[in-house]
Amino acid sequence: MNPYVPPEWRQGPHLQALYREFRAKTTGQHSPALQRLINWLRSEPMQGKLALLCSVPHQEWLLVRMNGRGLPISHLGERYRDIDAAECAIFRRRVHDRLGYTILDA
């Protein structure tokens, strides 16, 4: 675990609370604690980063992984018809990938 990760991000209940806040409002202004986590999760290098690809404007989004500059993206087989559901899926996967914690979608 990265020693620079705040201790509260190592606690499941705290991450679950931040996820509930994010799920209630995936875009716009967030609390300082949630915004800090989002900024950190989005700060990954481009190679290997999760992203959303809009396959049908305003109707369908695909979960993809970036493979580096000039390389094709990898489709991960997940499709979403709701942008908020897609954003929540990326949030949960990024938390798991970077912090090793599985967020329950409850």
Side-chain angles (χ1 to χ4, degrees):
M1 172 74 61
N2 184 332
Y4 300 105
V5 170
E8 61 269 16
W9 292 357
R10 297 181 189 136
Q11 301 169 10
H14 183 74
L15 288 171
Q16 282 293 150
L18 291 176
Y19 174 68
R20 283 192 298 274
E21 178 187 343
F22 181 77
R23 191 177 61 190
K25 186 170 117 179
T26 60
T27 60
Q29 197 167 15
H30 302 291
S31 71
L34 176 57
Q35 190 62 56
R36 185 173 176 206
L37 176 61
I38 290 170
N39 291 345
W40 183 74
L41 291 173
R42 291 178 178 168
S43 70
E44 295 176 277
M46 189 56 68
Q47 186 171 355
K49 189 174 193 174
L50 293 171
L52 293 174
L53 173 69
C54 184
S55 56
V56 180
H58 309 290
Q59 292 181 19
E60 183 180 77
W61 294 264
L62 304 174
L63 186 62
V64 299
R65 187 172 300 277
M66 308 297 276
N67 291 315
R69 187 176 209 153
L71 298 173
I73 58 176
S74 298
H75 295 269
L76 299 179
E78 294 181 32
R79 295 181 184 276
Y80 298 92
R81 297 249 180 227
D82 177 37
I83 186 65
D84 291 328
E87 292 284 355
C88 287
I90 271 198
F91 185 95
R92 286 191 315 271
R93 289 195 58 164
R94 285 179 174 166
V95 165
H96 184 267
D97 290 351
R98 297 209 59 197
L99 296 170
Y101 179 76
T102 301
I103 290 183
L104 305 175
D105 192 22

